[in-house]
Amino acid sequence: FCYGSVYAWSIFNAPINKAVAGDPTHGSAEITFYIALGVLGVTAAIFGPWIETNHPRKSGIIGLVVFYSGHLTSALAVYVRMISLLYFGYGLVAGIGLGIGYVSTIDAVSKWWPRARGTAAGCAVMGFGGGSLAFSAINKWLIDNTNLSLAFLILGSLNFVIMLVSIQFICPPPPGHNPDGIPVLDSSECQQYMKSSAVGTHDVEKPVQNPRVMRTLAAERPTLHVTLGEALQSRDYWLLYAAFLANIVFCLVIISNLPRIIHEIFGMGRRVPREPPLPAYIAVSIEGGFNMLGRVVVGLLSDVVGRKTTFLLILAIQIVVISFVPVAIHADSFWGFLALVWTATLCYGGGFGMIPAFVSDMFGINNTSSCHGILLTAWSIASVTGGLIFTG
């Protein structure tokens, strides 16, 4: 939840641009968000194997300390009006904390509920989307009632205290935890199982299927356990990587610039200025709600109808949404535009909610942090390339 405050960064863009560059509509504050998410993905890839072999509380504490340090550096950066220091503080330092903390929680949760990994992972990352819902209003209040430097100091301290208390309750399941008796195959048995699947015969006993989840990928196949190297050599891994990248690139650009888009297309920045029907910070909060909702709903749906079917569905919805966004803008339909953006954001959050379970099903529960961490570099590519292209 606290790490999700990064999704409310767009509330800071205009005030920081005004303080540093003297113009709230022209500046480089937006780049901070892209750097943070870019660093998040790279950090997750680097530290994923280490997180896999260490207690999540240990990696979680390291993540929150680094994240807090980024806020403190950001407070100094806006005080001295140095945008490069802001890039370093919130973009690099806080981004490292985000990468370590994000992966740590998902790894622990997925192992507790092997039959409902989609729902479990969705609930774990739900807070990341919900952070935008709450922190959009919190950031707005801090900006209106304090100065920018103090706002970062208060925000960082609030996050630090909440996370320090919450992380005491995080722990992995005991060794051998497998309440549903799902067979586990090592890498050599995986190849035999996949070959037998192709001809319709299995040499391993299938688990007893619960009618409620009998169509899930986890229930239909044993849990696979392959090495990280074998996973990275798989064509399926890189196809999943490409699908994940397609799922997130559009919404990342919108999430980081929604207040600016509303101002320039539907607000005071348009040719005929007017007040938008909904304040930008409220639109960002609602967007965070859809981000949060998508992570749980899509994760649950993937447990019922399967990961591949669900992922194809959300990608198809996003394609339709993107094609209608120019129509809504041309028609000057503020509410139509927001409805499309919120729908796409729901699918965006759904991809994040489902992807840890997808990775666990395909490459083994013991590889979740490693494979998921490398997969998050797609987040880095989408945030950096998409964001920089948008900002010019």
Side-chain angles (χ1 to χ4, degrees), residues 115-305:
R115 280 280 192 184
R117 292 185 192 128
T119 305
C123 290
V125 299
M126 176 182 66
F128 207 83
S132 176
L133 179 64
F135 283 99
S136 296
I138 293 173
N139 291 354
K140 181 70 167 55
W141 186 90
L142 289 173
I143 292 170
D144 291 342
N145 293 275
T146 65
N147 58 63
L148 275 175
S149 183
L150 186 58
F152 275 106
L153 182 60
I154 294 174
L155 183 63
S157 300
L158 177 65
N159 285 335
F160 181 83
V161 172
I162 294 174
M163 288 192 291
L164 186 61
V165 173
S166 301
I167 207 167
Q168 306 307 317
F169 300 94
I170 296 178
C171 64
H177 177 75
N178 190 3
D180 298 304
I182 299 176
V184 179
L185 307 181
D186 62 24
S187 57
S188 61
E189 293 172 318
C190 287
Q191 297 178 1
Q192 180 182 359
Y193 178 82
M194 299 306 287
K195 290 179 180 178
S196 65
S197 297
V199 297
T201 60
H202 293 190
D203 294 330
V204 295
E205 182 181 354
K206 276 188 164 185
V208 178
Q209 293 184 342
N210 184 327
R212 184 180 67 83
V213 293
M214 66 180 301
R215 296 181 64 192
T216 70
L217 183 59
E220 291 174 350
R221 303 169 103 184
T223 296
L224 306 182
H225 184 194
V226 299
T227 66
L228 177 60
E230 290 169 334
L232 296 179
Q233 293 174 16
S234 167
R235 181 190 64 178
D236 290 342
Y237 184 88
W238 297 108
L239 289 175
L240 183 60
Y241 188 100
F244 184 53
L245 178 62
N247 170 241
I248 62 180
V249 64
F250 169 75
C251 282
L252 268 181
V253 175
I254 297 297
I255 286 172
S256 60
N257 291 281
L258 187 57
R260 174 182 168 185
I261 294 172
I262 291 175
H263 174 80
E264 294 184 357
I265 299 178
F266 300 103
M268 300 302 293
R270 53 182 281 151
R271 182 175 300 177
V272 180
R274 70 179 183 191
E275 286 292 336
L278 186 71
Y281 79 94
I282 296 180
V284 173
S285 291
I286 297 175
E287 184 182 43
F290 277 92
N291 191 346
M292 175 181 66
L293 181 65
R295 295 170 187 246
V296 179
V297 171
V298 174
L300 175 61
L301 183 64
S302 73
D303 282 334
V304 177
V305 303

